[in-house]
Structure formats: C-alpha cells, structure tokens
Short mmCIF file of all heavy atoms in Angstrom, two decimals:
data_model
loop_
_atom_site.label_atom_id
_atom_site.label_comp_id
_atom_site.label_asym_id
_atom_site.label_seq_id
_atom_site.Cartn_x
_atom_site.Cartn_y
_atom_site.Cartn_z
N MET A 1 -137.13 -137.89 -178.30
CA MET A 1 -136.48 -136.63 -178.70
C MET A 1 -136.60 -136.44 -180.20
O MET A 1 -136.32 -137.33 -180.98
CB MET A 1 -134.99 -136.70 -178.29
CG MET A 1 -134.25 -135.41 -178.63
SD MET A 1 -132.68 -135.35 -177.74
CE MET A 1 -131.95 -133.93 -178.51
N ALA A 2 -137.05 -135.27 -180.58
CA ALA A 2 -137.27 -135.02 -182.00
C ALA A 2 -136.09 -134.27 -182.60
O ALA A 2 -135.52 -133.36 -181.98
CB ALA A 2 -138.54 -134.23 -182.19
N PHE A 3 -135.77 -134.66 -183.80
CA PHE A 3 -134.71 -133.98 -184.53
C PHE A 3 -135.32 -133.15 -185.65
O PHE A 3 -136.40 -133.47 -186.15
CB PHE A 3 -133.75 -135.01 -185.12
CG PHE A 3 -133.05 -135.82 -184.07
CD1 PHE A 3 -133.39 -137.14 -183.87
CD2 PHE A 3 -132.05 -135.26 -183.30
CE1 PHE A 3 -132.75 -137.90 -182.90
CE2 PHE A 3 -131.41 -136.01 -182.33
CZ PHE A 3 -131.76 -137.32 -182.12
N PRO A 4 -134.66 -132.10 -186.07
CA PRO A 4 -135.20 -131.29 -187.17
C PRO A 4 -135.24 -132.10 -188.46
O PRO A 4 -134.33 -132.87 -188.75
CB PRO A 4 -134.23 -130.11 -187.28
CG PRO A 4 -132.98 -130.56 -186.59
CD PRO A 4 -133.41 -131.55 -185.54
N ILE A 5 -136.34 -131.94 -189.21
CA ILE A 5 -136.49 -132.65 -190.48
C ILE A 5 -135.87 -131.81 -191.59
O ILE A 5 -136.22 -130.64 -191.77
CB ILE A 5 -137.97 -132.93 -190.79
CG1 ILE A 5 -138.61 -133.77 -189.67
CG2 ILE A 5 -138.11 -133.64 -192.14
CD1 ILE A 5 -138.06 -135.17 -189.54
N LYS A 6 -134.96 -132.41 -192.30
CA LYS A 6 -134.30 -131.71 -193.41
C LYS A 6 -134.62 -132.44 -194.71
O LYS A 6 -134.95 -133.62 -194.72
CB LYS A 6 -132.79 -131.70 -193.21
CG LYS A 6 -132.35 -130.89 -192.00
CD LYS A 6 -132.24 -129.43 -192.36
CE LYS A 6 -131.71 -128.63 -191.17
NZ LYS A 6 -131.59 -127.21 -191.49
N THR A 7 -134.52 -131.72 -195.81
CA THR A 7 -134.68 -132.35 -197.12
C THR A 7 -133.31 -132.54 -197.73
O THR A 7 -132.52 -131.60 -197.82
CB THR A 7 -135.55 -131.48 -198.03
OG1 THR A 7 -136.79 -131.22 -197.40
CG2 THR A 7 -135.79 -132.18 -199.35
N CYS A 8 -133.04 -133.76 -198.14
CA CYS A 8 -131.72 -134.08 -198.70
C CYS A 8 -131.50 -133.30 -200.00
O CYS A 8 -132.37 -133.26 -200.88
CB CYS A 8 -131.63 -135.58 -198.96
SG CYS A 8 -130.11 -136.05 -199.78
N ALA A 9 -130.33 -132.70 -200.11
CA ALA A 9 -130.03 -131.92 -201.31
C ALA A 9 -129.68 -132.81 -202.49
O ALA A 9 -129.66 -132.35 -203.63
CB ALA A 9 -128.86 -130.98 -201.02
N VAL A 10 -129.43 -134.08 -202.22
CA VAL A 10 -129.02 -134.98 -203.31
C VAL A 10 -130.23 -135.74 -203.88
O VAL A 10 -130.48 -135.70 -205.07
CB VAL A 10 -127.96 -135.99 -202.81
CG1 VAL A 10 -127.57 -136.95 -203.92
CG2 VAL A 10 -126.74 -135.22 -202.30
N CYS A 11 -130.98 -136.43 -202.98
CA CYS A 11 -132.06 -137.28 -203.48
C CYS A 11 -133.44 -136.68 -203.19
O CYS A 11 -134.44 -137.18 -203.69
CB CYS A 11 -131.96 -138.68 -202.88
SG CYS A 11 -132.25 -138.72 -201.10
N GLY A 12 -133.51 -135.59 -202.39
CA GLY A 12 -134.79 -134.96 -202.13
C GLY A 12 -135.61 -135.63 -201.05
O GLY A 12 -136.73 -135.21 -200.78
N GLU A 13 -135.08 -136.67 -200.43
CA GLU A 13 -135.80 -137.36 -199.36
C GLU A 13 -135.70 -136.55 -198.07
O GLU A 13 -134.70 -135.88 -197.81
CB GLU A 13 -135.18 -138.74 -199.13
CG GLU A 13 -135.37 -139.69 -200.28
CD GLU A 13 -136.67 -140.45 -200.17
OE1 GLU A 13 -137.29 -140.45 -199.10
OE2 GLU A 13 -137.07 -141.04 -201.17
N GLU A 14 -136.76 -136.62 -197.26
CA GLU A 14 -136.70 -135.97 -195.96
C GLU A 14 -136.02 -136.90 -194.97
O GLU A 14 -136.20 -138.11 -195.01
CB GLU A 14 -138.12 -135.63 -195.49
CG GLU A 14 -138.70 -134.47 -196.26
CD GLU A 14 -140.04 -134.03 -195.67
OE1 GLU A 14 -140.64 -134.80 -194.91
OE2 GLU A 14 -140.48 -132.92 -196.00
N PHE A 15 -135.23 -136.33 -194.08
CA PHE A 15 -134.54 -137.12 -193.08
C PHE A 15 -134.39 -136.32 -191.80
O PHE A 15 -134.48 -135.10 -191.82
CB PHE A 15 -133.18 -137.56 -193.60
CG PHE A 15 -132.22 -136.41 -193.81
CD1 PHE A 15 -131.27 -136.08 -192.85
CD2 PHE A 15 -132.28 -135.66 -194.96
CE1 PHE A 15 -130.39 -135.02 -193.04
CE2 PHE A 15 -131.41 -134.59 -195.16
CZ PHE A 15 -130.47 -134.28 -194.19
N GLU A 16 -134.16 -137.06 -190.69
CA GLU A 16 -133.93 -136.41 -189.41
C GLU A 16 -132.46 -136.02 -189.30
O GLU A 16 -131.58 -136.85 -189.47
CB GLU A 16 -134.30 -137.35 -188.27
CG GLU A 16 -135.79 -137.51 -188.07
CD GLU A 16 -136.09 -138.38 -186.86
OE1 GLU A 16 -135.22 -139.17 -186.46
OE2 GLU A 16 -137.20 -138.26 -186.32
N LEU A 17 -132.24 -134.75 -189.04
CA LEU A 17 -130.86 -134.29 -188.88
C LEU A 17 -130.42 -134.55 -187.44
O LEU A 17 -130.75 -133.79 -186.53
CB LEU A 17 -130.77 -132.80 -189.21
CG LEU A 17 -129.36 -132.20 -189.07
CD1 LEU A 17 -128.38 -132.90 -190.01
CD2 LEU A 17 -129.38 -130.71 -189.35
N LYS A 18 -129.71 -135.65 -187.26
CA LYS A 18 -129.23 -135.98 -185.92
C LYS A 18 -127.87 -135.34 -185.71
O LYS A 18 -127.08 -135.21 -186.64
CB LYS A 18 -129.14 -137.51 -185.78
CG LYS A 18 -130.52 -138.13 -185.81
CD LYS A 18 -130.45 -139.64 -185.81
CE LYS A 18 -131.86 -140.22 -185.91
NZ LYS A 18 -131.86 -141.68 -186.05
N PRO A 19 -127.60 -134.96 -184.46
CA PRO A 19 -126.34 -134.26 -184.16
C PRO A 19 -125.10 -135.09 -184.52
O PRO A 19 -124.06 -134.53 -184.88
CB PRO A 19 -126.40 -134.04 -182.65
CG PRO A 19 -127.84 -134.12 -182.29
CD PRO A 19 -128.46 -135.08 -183.27
N ASP A 20 -125.24 -136.43 -184.45
CA ASP A 20 -124.06 -137.25 -184.71
C ASP A 20 -124.03 -137.77 -186.14
O ASP A 20 -123.24 -138.63 -186.49
CB ASP A 20 -124.02 -138.44 -183.73
CG ASP A 20 -125.25 -139.33 -183.88
OD1 ASP A 20 -126.24 -138.87 -184.47
OD2 ASP A 20 -125.21 -140.48 -183.40
N LYS A 21 -124.91 -137.22 -187.00
CA LYS A 21 -124.95 -137.68 -188.38
C LYS A 21 -123.67 -137.28 -189.11
O LYS A 21 -123.30 -136.10 -189.11
CB LYS A 21 -126.17 -137.09 -189.11
CG LYS A 21 -126.41 -137.70 -190.46
CD LYS A 21 -127.40 -136.90 -191.29
CE LYS A 21 -126.74 -135.78 -192.03
NZ LYS A 21 -125.71 -136.21 -192.98
N PRO A 22 -123.00 -138.24 -189.72
CA PRO A 22 -121.79 -137.89 -190.47
C PRO A 22 -122.12 -137.23 -191.80
O PRO A 22 -123.22 -137.35 -192.31
CB PRO A 22 -121.11 -139.25 -190.67
CG PRO A 22 -122.23 -140.23 -190.70
CD PRO A 22 -123.30 -139.66 -189.78
N GLY A 23 -121.17 -136.54 -192.35
CA GLY A 23 -121.36 -135.95 -193.68
C GLY A 23 -122.04 -134.59 -193.61
O GLY A 23 -122.12 -133.96 -192.56
N PHE A 24 -122.56 -134.19 -194.75
CA PHE A 24 -123.16 -132.87 -194.86
C PHE A 24 -124.49 -132.79 -194.11
O PHE A 24 -125.21 -133.78 -194.05
CB PHE A 24 -123.38 -132.50 -196.33
CG PHE A 24 -122.11 -132.28 -197.08
CD1 PHE A 24 -121.60 -133.26 -197.90
CD2 PHE A 24 -121.42 -131.08 -196.95
CE1 PHE A 24 -120.42 -133.07 -198.59
CE2 PHE A 24 -120.25 -130.87 -197.64
CZ PHE A 24 -119.74 -131.86 -198.47
N ALA A 25 -124.83 -131.60 -193.60
CA ALA A 25 -126.09 -131.43 -192.88
C ALA A 25 -127.28 -131.42 -193.82
O ALA A 25 -128.40 -131.60 -193.39
CB ALA A 25 -126.05 -130.14 -192.07
N ASN A 26 -127.05 -131.16 -195.10
CA ASN A 26 -128.16 -131.10 -196.04
C ASN A 26 -128.26 -132.37 -196.89
O ASN A 26 -128.86 -132.37 -197.95
CB ASN A 26 -128.05 -129.87 -196.93
CG ASN A 26 -126.80 -129.87 -197.78
OD1 ASN A 26 -125.91 -130.70 -197.57
ND2 ASN A 26 -126.72 -128.97 -198.72
N ARG A 27 -127.63 -133.46 -196.39
CA ARG A 27 -127.74 -134.74 -197.09
C ARG A 27 -128.24 -135.80 -196.15
O ARG A 27 -127.85 -135.83 -194.98
CB ARG A 27 -126.36 -135.16 -197.62
CG ARG A 27 -125.92 -134.31 -198.78
CD ARG A 27 -124.69 -134.91 -199.39
NE ARG A 27 -124.11 -134.03 -200.39
CZ ARG A 27 -123.09 -134.38 -201.15
NH1 ARG A 27 -122.53 -135.56 -201.00
NH2 ARG A 27 -122.62 -133.55 -202.05
N CYS A 28 -129.11 -136.69 -196.64
CA CYS A 28 -129.61 -137.77 -195.82
C CYS A 28 -128.49 -138.77 -195.55
O CYS A 28 -127.49 -138.78 -196.27
CB CYS A 28 -130.79 -138.46 -196.53
SG CYS A 28 -130.33 -139.42 -197.97
N PRO A 29 -128.65 -139.61 -194.52
CA PRO A 29 -127.59 -140.58 -194.19
C PRO A 29 -127.19 -141.45 -195.37
O PRO A 29 -126.01 -141.78 -195.54
CB PRO A 29 -128.23 -141.42 -193.07
CG PRO A 29 -129.25 -140.52 -192.45
CD PRO A 29 -129.77 -139.67 -193.58
N ASP A 30 -128.16 -141.83 -196.20
CA ASP A 30 -127.84 -142.67 -197.36
C ASP A 30 -126.88 -141.97 -198.29
O ASP A 30 -125.89 -142.54 -198.75
CB ASP A 30 -129.13 -143.02 -198.12
CG ASP A 30 -129.87 -144.16 -197.46
OD1 ASP A 30 -129.28 -144.79 -196.55
OD2 ASP A 30 -131.02 -144.41 -197.84
N CYS A 31 -127.16 -140.72 -198.61
CA CYS A 31 -126.32 -139.99 -199.55
C CYS A 31 -124.99 -139.61 -198.91
O CYS A 31 -123.97 -139.55 -199.59
CB CYS A 31 -127.06 -138.74 -200.03
SG CYS A 31 -128.47 -139.14 -201.07
N SER A 32 -124.98 -139.38 -197.62
CA SER A 32 -123.73 -139.09 -196.92
C SER A 32 -122.82 -140.30 -196.96
O SER A 32 -121.64 -140.20 -197.24
CB SER A 32 -124.01 -138.70 -195.46
OG SER A 32 -124.75 -137.51 -195.42
N ALA A 33 -123.41 -141.49 -196.68
CA ALA A 33 -122.62 -142.71 -196.68
C ALA A 33 -122.11 -143.00 -198.08
O ALA A 33 -120.95 -143.36 -198.28
CB ALA A 33 -123.47 -143.87 -196.18
N ASP A 34 -122.97 -142.81 -199.06
CA ASP A 34 -122.58 -143.06 -200.44
C ASP A 34 -121.42 -142.16 -200.85
O ASP A 34 -120.49 -142.59 -201.49
CB ASP A 34 -123.78 -142.79 -201.35
CG ASP A 34 -123.47 -143.14 -202.80
OD1 ASP A 34 -123.11 -144.30 -203.04
OD2 ASP A 34 -123.59 -142.25 -203.65
N ASP A 35 -121.49 -140.91 -200.42
CA ASP A 35 -120.45 -139.96 -200.78
C ASP A 35 -119.15 -140.28 -200.06
O ASP A 35 -118.08 -140.17 -200.63
CB ASP A 35 -120.91 -138.55 -200.41
CG ASP A 35 -120.12 -137.49 -201.14
OD1 ASP A 35 -120.11 -137.55 -202.38
OD2 ASP A 35 -119.53 -136.64 -200.48
N ALA A 36 -119.26 -140.69 -198.79
CA ALA A 36 -118.07 -140.94 -197.99
C ALA A 36 -117.33 -142.18 -198.48
O ALA A 36 -116.10 -142.20 -198.51
CB ALA A 36 -118.46 -141.11 -196.53
N THR A 37 -118.07 -143.20 -198.88
CA THR A 37 -117.42 -144.46 -199.25
C THR A 37 -116.84 -144.41 -200.66
O THR A 37 -115.85 -145.06 -200.95
CB THR A 37 -118.42 -145.63 -199.15
OG1 THR A 37 -119.61 -145.26 -199.84
CG2 THR A 37 -118.74 -145.95 -197.71
N SER A 38 -117.43 -143.63 -201.53
CA SER A 38 -116.99 -143.66 -202.92
C SER A 38 -116.51 -142.29 -203.40
O SER A 38 -116.51 -142.01 -204.58
CB SER A 38 -118.12 -144.16 -203.82
OG SER A 38 -119.23 -143.30 -203.69
N ALA A 39 -116.10 -141.47 -202.44
CA ALA A 39 -115.70 -140.11 -202.81
C ALA A 39 -114.48 -140.11 -203.71
O ALA A 39 -114.41 -139.36 -204.67
CB ALA A 39 -115.42 -139.30 -201.55
N LYS A 40 -113.53 -141.00 -203.41
CA LYS A 40 -112.29 -141.00 -204.17
C LYS A 40 -112.51 -141.41 -205.62
O LYS A 40 -112.03 -140.78 -206.55
CB LYS A 40 -111.29 -141.98 -203.52
CG LYS A 40 -110.60 -141.34 -202.32
CD LYS A 40 -109.70 -142.36 -201.63
CE LYS A 40 -109.44 -141.95 -200.19
NZ LYS A 40 -108.99 -143.09 -199.38
N THR A 41 -113.27 -142.50 -205.79
CA THR A 41 -113.48 -143.01 -207.15
C THR A 41 -114.57 -142.23 -207.87
O THR A 41 -114.58 -142.16 -209.08
CB THR A 41 -113.86 -144.50 -207.11
OG1 THR A 41 -114.90 -144.68 -206.17
CG2 THR A 41 -112.66 -145.36 -206.75
N LYS A 42 -115.50 -141.67 -207.08
CA LYS A 42 -116.66 -141.05 -207.71
C LYS A 42 -116.34 -139.66 -208.26
O LYS A 42 -116.98 -139.21 -209.18
CB LYS A 42 -117.80 -140.96 -206.69
CG LYS A 42 -119.16 -141.23 -207.34
CD LYS A 42 -120.29 -141.01 -206.36
CE LYS A 42 -121.63 -141.04 -207.07
NZ LYS A 42 -122.72 -140.71 -206.17
N ARG A 43 -115.36 -139.00 -207.64
CA ARG A 43 -115.12 -137.62 -208.03
C ARG A 43 -114.77 -137.53 -209.51
O ARG A 43 -115.26 -136.68 -210.23
CB ARG A 43 -113.99 -137.05 -207.17
CG ARG A 43 -114.00 -135.55 -207.15
CD ARG A 43 -113.16 -135.02 -206.00
NE ARG A 43 -113.84 -135.20 -204.71
CZ ARG A 43 -113.25 -134.94 -203.54
NH1 ARG A 43 -112.02 -134.56 -203.49
NH2 ARG A 43 -113.91 -135.11 -202.41
N GLY A 44 -113.91 -138.45 -209.98
CA GLY A 44 -113.56 -138.44 -211.40
C GLY A 44 -114.75 -138.74 -212.28
O GLY A 44 -114.94 -138.13 -213.32
N MET A 45 -115.55 -139.72 -211.82
CA MET A 45 -116.73 -140.09 -212.59
C MET A 45 -117.70 -138.93 -212.70
O MET A 45 -118.29 -138.70 -213.74
CB MET A 45 -117.42 -141.28 -211.92
CG MET A 45 -117.18 -142.60 -212.63
SD MET A 45 -117.98 -143.94 -211.75
CE MET A 45 -119.68 -143.42 -211.86
N ASP A 46 -117.86 -138.22 -211.58
CA ASP A 46 -118.79 -137.09 -211.58
C ASP A 46 -118.37 -136.03 -212.59
O ASP A 46 -119.18 -135.49 -213.30
CB ASP A 46 -118.86 -136.48 -210.18
CG ASP A 46 -119.83 -137.24 -209.30
OD1 ASP A 46 -120.53 -138.11 -209.83
OD2 ASP A 46 -119.88 -136.98 -208.10
N ALA A 47 -117.07 -135.78 -212.63
CA ALA A 47 -116.58 -134.79 -213.58
C ALA A 47 -116.86 -135.25 -215.01
O ALA A 47 -117.27 -134.47 -215.86
CB ALA A 47 -115.09 -134.58 -213.38
N ASP A 48 -116.65 -136.55 -215.25
CA ASP A 48 -116.93 -137.09 -216.57
C ASP A 48 -118.41 -137.00 -216.90
O ASP A 48 -118.79 -136.63 -218.00
CB ASP A 48 -116.50 -138.56 -216.61
CG ASP A 48 -115.16 -138.73 -217.30
OD1 ASP A 48 -114.50 -137.70 -217.55
OD2 ASP A 48 -114.77 -139.87 -217.58
N GLU A 49 -119.24 -137.39 -215.90
CA GLU A 49 -120.68 -137.35 -216.12
C GLU A 49 -121.14 -135.93 -216.41
O GLU A 49 -121.93 -135.71 -217.30
CB GLU A 49 -121.39 -137.88 -214.88
CG GLU A 49 -121.53 -139.38 -214.87
CD GLU A 49 -122.08 -139.87 -213.55
OE1 GLU A 49 -122.95 -139.19 -212.97
OE2 GLU A 49 -121.64 -140.92 -213.08
N ARG A 50 -120.58 -135.00 -215.62
CA ARG A 50 -120.98 -133.61 -215.81
C ARG A 50 -120.57 -133.13 -217.20
O ARG A 50 -121.28 -132.41 -217.87
CB ARG A 50 -120.33 -132.74 -214.74
CG ARG A 50 -121.29 -131.75 -214.14
CD ARG A 50 -120.68 -131.08 -212.92
NE ARG A 50 -120.61 -131.98 -211.78
CZ ARG A 50 -119.67 -131.93 -210.84
NH1 ARG A 50 -118.71 -131.07 -210.93
NH2 ARG A 50 -119.69 -132.76 -209.84
N LYS A 51 -119.40 -133.57 -217.65
CA LYS A 51 -118.90 -133.14 -218.96
C LYS A 51 -119.79 -133.69 -220.07
O LYS A 51 -120.22 -132.95 -220.96
CB LYS A 51 -117.46 -133.64 -219.13
CG LYS A 51 -116.76 -132.98 -220.28
CD LYS A 51 -115.39 -133.60 -220.48
CE LYS A 51 -114.82 -133.17 -221.81
NZ LYS A 51 -113.67 -134.00 -222.19
N SER A 52 -120.07 -134.98 -219.98
CA SER A 52 -120.89 -135.58 -221.03
C SER A 52 -122.31 -135.02 -220.98
O SER A 52 -122.95 -134.86 -222.00
CB SER A 52 -120.91 -137.10 -220.89
OG SER A 52 -121.50 -137.48 -219.67
N LEU A 53 -122.77 -134.71 -219.76
CA LEU A 53 -124.11 -134.13 -219.63
C LEU A 53 -124.16 -132.76 -220.29
O LEU A 53 -125.11 -132.44 -220.99
CB LEU A 53 -124.46 -134.00 -218.15
CG LEU A 53 -125.95 -133.89 -217.85
CD1 LEU A 53 -126.62 -135.24 -217.99
CD2 LEU A 53 -126.18 -133.35 -216.45
N SER A 54 -123.13 -131.95 -220.08
CA SER A 54 -123.13 -130.62 -220.69
C SER A 54 -122.99 -130.74 -222.20
O SER A 54 -123.51 -129.94 -222.96
CB SER A 54 -122.01 -129.77 -220.10
OG SER A 54 -120.77 -130.17 -220.61
N GLU A 55 -122.27 -131.78 -222.64
CA GLU A 55 -122.16 -132.00 -224.09
C GLU A 55 -123.51 -132.36 -224.68
O GLU A 55 -123.90 -131.90 -225.75
CB GLU A 55 -121.14 -133.11 -224.36
CG GLU A 55 -119.72 -132.59 -224.43
CD GLU A 55 -118.71 -133.71 -224.45
OE1 GLU A 55 -119.09 -134.87 -224.68
OE2 GLU A 55 -117.52 -133.43 -224.24
N VAL A 56 -124.24 -133.20 -223.95
CA VAL A 56 -125.58 -133.59 -224.39
C VAL A 56 -126.49 -132.38 -224.45
O VAL A 56 -127.23 -132.17 -225.41
CB VAL A 56 -126.17 -134.67 -223.47
CG1 VAL A 56 -127.66 -134.84 -223.72
CG2 VAL A 56 -125.46 -135.99 -223.67
N ASN A 57 -126.42 -131.57 -223.38
CA ASN A 57 -127.25 -130.36 -223.35
C ASN A 57 -126.92 -129.43 -224.50
O ASN A 57 -127.80 -128.84 -225.11
CB ASN A 57 -127.04 -129.63 -222.02
CG ASN A 57 -127.78 -130.30 -220.88
OD1 ASN A 57 -128.70 -131.07 -221.11
ND2 ASN A 57 -127.37 -130.02 -219.67
N GLU A 58 -125.64 -129.30 -224.78
CA GLU A 58 -125.22 -128.40 -225.85
C GLU A 58 -125.71 -128.92 -227.20
O GLU A 58 -126.21 -128.16 -228.03
CB GLU A 58 -123.70 -128.30 -225.85
CG GLU A 58 -123.21 -126.97 -226.41
CD GLU A 58 -121.80 -126.68 -225.91
OE1 GLU A 58 -121.60 -126.69 -224.70
OE2 GLU A 58 -120.93 -126.50 -226.76
N ALA A 59 -125.58 -130.23 -227.39
CA ALA A 59 -126.05 -130.82 -228.64
C ALA A 59 -127.55 -130.63 -228.80
O ALA A 59 -128.05 -130.35 -229.88
CB ALA A 59 -125.70 -132.31 -228.66
N ARG A 60 -128.26 -130.79 -227.65
CA ARG A 60 -129.71 -130.63 -227.69
C ARG A 60 -130.07 -129.19 -228.03
O ARG A 60 -130.98 -128.93 -228.81
CB ARG A 60 -130.29 -131.01 -226.32
CG ARG A 60 -131.77 -131.28 -226.37
CD ARG A 60 -132.26 -131.74 -225.02
NE ARG A 60 -131.68 -133.04 -224.63
CZ ARG A 60 -131.69 -133.51 -223.38
NH1 ARG A 60 -132.21 -132.79 -222.43
NH2 ARG A 60 -131.17 -134.68 -223.11
N ARG A 61 -129.33 -128.26 -227.43
CA ARG A 61 -129.60 -126.85 -227.66
C ARG A 61 -129.36 -126.50 -229.13
O ARG A 61 -130.12 -125.77 -229.75
CB ARG A 61 -128.70 -126.00 -226.76
CG ARG A 61 -129.36 -124.71 -226.33
CD ARG A 61 -128.49 -123.99 -225.31
NE ARG A 61 -128.29 -124.78 -224.10
CZ ARG A 61 -127.20 -124.74 -223.34
NH1 ARG A 61 -126.21 -123.97 -223.68
NH2 ARG A 61 -127.09 -125.47 -222.27
N GLU A 62 -128.30 -127.07 -229.66
CA GLU A 62 -127.96 -126.79 -231.05
C GLU A 62 -129.03 -127.36 -231.99
O GLU A 62 -129.43 -126.74 -232.98
CB GLU A 62 -126.60 -127.39 -231.38
CG GLU A 62 -125.88 -126.65 -232.48
CD GLU A 62 -124.38 -126.65 -232.24
OE1 GLU A 62 -123.95 -126.24 -231.15
OE2 GLU A 62 -123.66 -127.09 -233.14
N ALA A 63 -129.51 -128.56 -231.65
CA ALA A 63 -130.55 -129.17 -232.45
C ALA A 63 -131.83 -128.34 -232.42
O ALA A 63 -132.49 -128.15 -233.44
CB ALA A 63 -130.84 -130.58 -231.93
N MET A 64 -132.16 -127.85 -231.21
CA MET A 64 -133.34 -126.99 -231.07
C MET A 64 -133.18 -125.72 -231.90
O MET A 64 -134.12 -125.27 -232.57
CB MET A 64 -133.52 -126.60 -229.59
CG MET A 64 -133.89 -127.77 -228.72
SD MET A 64 -135.66 -127.89 -228.45
CE MET A 64 -135.86 -126.83 -227.03
N ARG A 65 -131.97 -125.17 -231.84
CA ARG A 65 -131.73 -123.92 -232.55
C ARG A 65 -131.89 -124.11 -234.06
O ARG A 65 -132.53 -123.32 -234.74
CB ARG A 65 -130.31 -123.42 -232.22
CG ARG A 65 -130.16 -121.94 -232.44
CD ARG A 65 -128.77 -121.48 -232.04
NE ARG A 65 -128.50 -121.73 -230.62
CZ ARG A 65 -127.28 -121.87 -230.10
NH1 ARG A 65 -126.22 -121.84 -230.87
NH2 ARG A 65 -127.12 -122.06 -228.81
N SER A 66 -131.32 -125.20 -234.56
CA SER A 66 -131.43 -125.43 -236.00
C SER A 66 -132.87 -125.72 -236.40
O SER A 66 -133.31 -125.37 -237.49
CB SER A 66 -130.52 -126.60 -236.40
OG SER A 66 -130.94 -127.78 -235.78
N LEU A 67 -133.62 -126.33 -235.47
CA LEU A 67 -135.04 -126.55 -235.74
C LEU A 67 -135.78 -125.22 -235.82
O LEU A 67 -136.60 -125.01 -236.72
CB LEU A 67 -135.65 -127.40 -234.62
CG LEU A 67 -135.72 -128.90 -234.87
CD1 LEU A 67 -136.21 -129.62 -233.62
CD2 LEU A 67 -136.64 -129.22 -236.04
N LEU A 68 -135.46 -124.33 -234.87
CA LEU A 68 -136.11 -123.02 -234.85
C LEU A 68 -135.77 -122.23 -236.11
O LEU A 68 -136.63 -121.60 -236.72
CB LEU A 68 -135.67 -122.25 -233.61
CG LEU A 68 -136.32 -122.70 -232.30
CD1 LEU A 68 -135.69 -121.96 -231.13
CD2 LEU A 68 -137.82 -122.42 -232.31
N TYR A 69 -134.49 -122.31 -236.46
CA TYR A 69 -134.07 -121.57 -237.66
C TYR A 69 -134.81 -122.09 -238.90
O TYR A 69 -135.23 -121.35 -239.77
CB TYR A 69 -132.55 -121.70 -237.86
CG TYR A 69 -131.78 -120.67 -237.08
CD1 TYR A 69 -130.74 -121.04 -236.25
CD2 TYR A 69 -132.11 -119.32 -237.18
CE1 TYR A 69 -130.03 -120.10 -235.53
CE2 TYR A 69 -131.42 -118.38 -236.47
CZ TYR A 69 -130.37 -118.76 -235.66
OH TYR A 69 -129.69 -117.83 -234.95
N ARG A 70 -134.96 -123.42 -238.92
CA ARG A 70 -135.62 -124.02 -240.07
C ARG A 70 -137.08 -123.54 -240.15
O ARG A 70 -137.62 -123.32 -241.23
CB ARG A 70 -135.58 -125.55 -239.93
CG ARG A 70 -135.32 -126.23 -241.26
CD ARG A 70 -135.06 -127.71 -241.07
NE ARG A 70 -133.70 -127.99 -240.61
CZ ARG A 70 -133.30 -129.18 -240.16
NH1 ARG A 70 -134.14 -130.19 -240.10
NH2 ARG A 70 -132.06 -129.39 -239.79
N LYS A 71 -137.69 -123.37 -238.97
CA LYS A 71 -139.08 -122.89 -238.94
C LYS A 71 -139.16 -121.43 -239.43
O LYS A 71 -140.09 -121.06 -240.11
CB LYS A 71 -139.62 -123.00 -237.52
CG LYS A 71 -140.39 -124.28 -237.29
CD LYS A 71 -140.95 -124.30 -235.88
CE LYS A 71 -141.43 -125.72 -235.51
NZ LYS A 71 -141.75 -125.78 -234.09
N ASP A 72 -138.16 -120.64 -238.99
CA ASP A 72 -138.19 -119.22 -239.33
C ASP A 72 -138.03 -118.97 -240.82
O ASP A 72 -138.74 -118.14 -241.38
CB ASP A 72 -137.05 -118.49 -238.58
CG ASP A 72 -137.46 -118.26 -237.13
OD1 ASP A 72 -138.65 -118.43 -236.82
OD2 ASP A 72 -136.59 -117.92 -236.32
N THR A 73 -137.14 -119.71 -241.41
CA THR A 73 -136.84 -119.44 -242.84
C THR A 73 -137.74 -120.20 -243.79
O THR A 73 -138.37 -121.16 -243.43
CB THR A 73 -135.37 -119.77 -243.17
OG1 THR A 73 -135.11 -121.08 -242.71
CG2 THR A 73 -134.46 -118.78 -242.49
ZN1 LIG B 1 -130.31 -138.36 -199.96
#
C-alpha cells in the first residue's frame, strides 16, 4: 500500500504520510517526534533563537546600509 509522499516543512526531507502518523501532516516523523518530545522546553528556546536571529539580521542590515552609505558619499 502506497502512501502520499510529502515534503517535510521543517527539514525538507520527503516522507510517506501515513494515516496514523502523529504530529503535523507537513512534518516528517523525525521532526514530529522531536517537536512532541521537546515542545515544552523548546518553545522558549525557539523564541530566544528567533529573537537573537532577528537581532543578527538587523545588525547585518545596518552594517550593509552603512557600507552602502559609505560608498555613496
Ligand atoms: Zn523533517
């Protein structure tokens, strides 16, 4: 019996979407299990990671901008 092949939204791996698969339909079993087991502790970490990531992006953007300005003037 063949199951539909889905692409995991988290890691990008293709997986068989089985009817009894726990977790999200767009996540492979590995990522579903990872999310289910560490959801409580990971949620705070994710928020922190996202915050520091946006800070890094902002710093990078600002550095790029000052570089561009320096080129213009
Ligand atoms: Zn995955």
Side-chain angles (χ1 to χ4, degrees):
M1 182 164 171
F3 297 107
I5 301 294
K6 295 276 184 180
T7 305
C8 175
V10 178
C11 66
E13 293 272 346
E14 286 187 343
F15 66 98
E16 285 184 337
L17 180 61
K18 293 174 182 174
D20 61 343
K21 190 193 85 61
F24 292 100
N26 62 350
R27 289 189 188 186
C28 70
D30 280 350
C31 291
S32 296
D34 185 57
D35 199 56
T37 49
S38 60
K40 279 176 202 160
T41 49
K42 218 185 170 185
R43 200 163 286 173
M45 256 178 61
D46 277 351
D48 259 10
E49 274 173 37
R50 224 170 287 149
K51 194 185 167 195
S52 63
L53 200 76
S54 75
E55 274 170 14
V56 166
N57 283 341
E58 207 158 305
R60 197 176 295 163
R61 212 173 299 149
E62 208 146 306
M64 293 263 273
R65 202 177 299 156
S66 63
L67 265 174
L68 284 173
Y69 275 128
R70 219 170 281 168
K71 265 182 194 170
D72 281 347
T73 51

